[in-house]
Amino acid sequence: MANKRQHGSSTLKKVLRLLKKHQFILEEKKKGIMIKCPDGRGPSYMMHHSESAIHPMRRFFKQNYNLNIL
């Protein structure tokens, strides 16, 4: 069973809402969230539920999809 988060970062919530708006597929996994490209042709990204995961995720989406998420 996955560990439940008790306190979520508002910045992380804002980033995930933006990705949903751009129609990325978000799948909840045991240790984080798998983010997949909407058309299935781009690279996927696995992230943990933490504030420190935001910066590497920003770099990934800027390099691969030319998308500024903050």
Side-chain angles (χ1 to χ4, degrees):
M1 178 182 277
N3 294 333
K4 297 292 181 181
R5 293 180 290 136
Q6 291 187 4
H7 301 286
S9 163
S10 62
T11 307
L12 185 59
K13 289 178 187 176
K14 182 176 18 172
V15 168
L16 293 177
R17 273 196 310 266
L18 181 71
L19 290 173
K20 284 182 186 177
K21 180 181 172 189
H22 285 285
Q23 298 177 348
F24 281 89
I25 301 163
L26 305 175
E27 290 182 11
E28 189 76 26
K29 298 291 183 180
K30 197 180 262 188
K31 295 192 178 199
I33 299 173
M34 176 65 77
I35 303 169
K36 295 182 180 178
C37 183
D39 57 4
R41 293 187 303 215
S44 298
Y45 186 79
M46 179 71 181
M47 65 167 284
H48 293 282
H49 295 288
S50 69
E51 187 75 24
S52 63
I54 294 173
H55 184 65
M57 186 171 57
R58 288 180 60 208
R59 284 195 313 248
F60 175 81
F61 282 98
K62 179 66 176 173
Q63 290 172 355
N64 293 297
Y65 296 107
N66 198 24
L67 177 66
N68 284 328
I69 57 175
L70 284 181

